[in-house]
Amino acid sequence: MGGSKVGCVEAMQRRLPSFYLVFALVLTTVMCWVTPPFFGPDEPSQSSRALALLQGDLLPKMAADEAGAEIDTGALQAMDGMDAIRMRWEKQGTDFHDRAYGPVTPAAQERAANARWSGQKRLVGFGNTATYPPGLYAPAIVGWRIAQETKLTVFASLRLVRWLNAMMAALVGWLRSEEHTSELQSHHD
């Protein structure tokens, strides 16, 4: 009886990486589409940094008061439109935890949602992301390039970039859990 319980636990441990991968892929895919564009923490800054790297700007320039780069004004229109929604909410609460966030309706984001790549650029700062190594942005750079080449809207582009980043994170997590499961298995053998 005891041996079969151990066998069941070991079988479950071997399957955990697969369960994780399925759960992570489903959850992150849903989150990529239900989270309003540019509402993720530092998402406008992270997007600007990836767009700068896509253009070959490995080293940021000094903008007005922080490091940045020349970014497509269509992308900036989408970011600024969503930032305006967030700023209206932030005025409602004096404390970070008391902000009255609510749903971002399609009507509220309509102007920003229609933003397209303009081909024109403007210098903007993305300060806190300027020091991150460029390699971390590889999935985002690929996503932004595909999106620009296929002429997606900026919102659709961001969702593709989010999804590629999520897939990479899920893959890295899965690989690590597979490695850990193999280590456990070798200790039992």
Side-chain angles (χ1 to χ4, degrees), residues 5-133:
K5 285 184 183 180
V6 171
C8 287
V9 169
E10 289 173 352
M12 181 59 89
Q13 284 178 333
R14 284 192 304 274
R15 290 187 183 117
L16 279 176
S18 298
F19 291 142
Y20 161 80
L21 184 61
V22 170
F23 177 75
L25 292 175
V26 170
L27 180 64
T28 56
T29 298
V30 169
M31 293 305 296
C32 288
W33 269 261
V34 300
T35 303
F38 302 108
F39 262 57
D42 289 333
E43 198 164 38
S45 293
Q46 299 288 354
S47 296
S48 296
R49 175 72 166 132
L51 288 167
L53 290 167
L54 172 63
Q55 300 168 162
D57 295 334
L58 292 176
L59 298 174
K61 303 171 187 155
M62 259 327 268
D65 46 340
E66 61 183 344
E70 300 274 332
I71 304 298
D72 187 283
T73 57
L76 295 175
Q77 176 190 345
M79 290 178 205
D80 291 346
M82 296 307 287
D83 195 47
I85 295 170
R86 186 176 33 254
M87 290 300 107
R88 283 193 300 272
W89 287 346
E90 291 196 12
K91 291 177 187 172
Q92 296 174 4
T94 56
D95 183 80
F96 175 83
H97 302 295
D98 294 334
R99 293 180 184 156
Y101 291 128
V104 180
T105 64
Q109 50 182 309
E110 185 175 348
R111 188 179 130 266
N114 294 324
R116 297 212 164 258
W117 300 101
S118 70
Q120 300 172 2
K121 300 204 172 28
R122 186 177 88 216
L123 181 64
V124 295
F126 47 73
N128 64 337
T129 64
T131 59
Y132 295 170

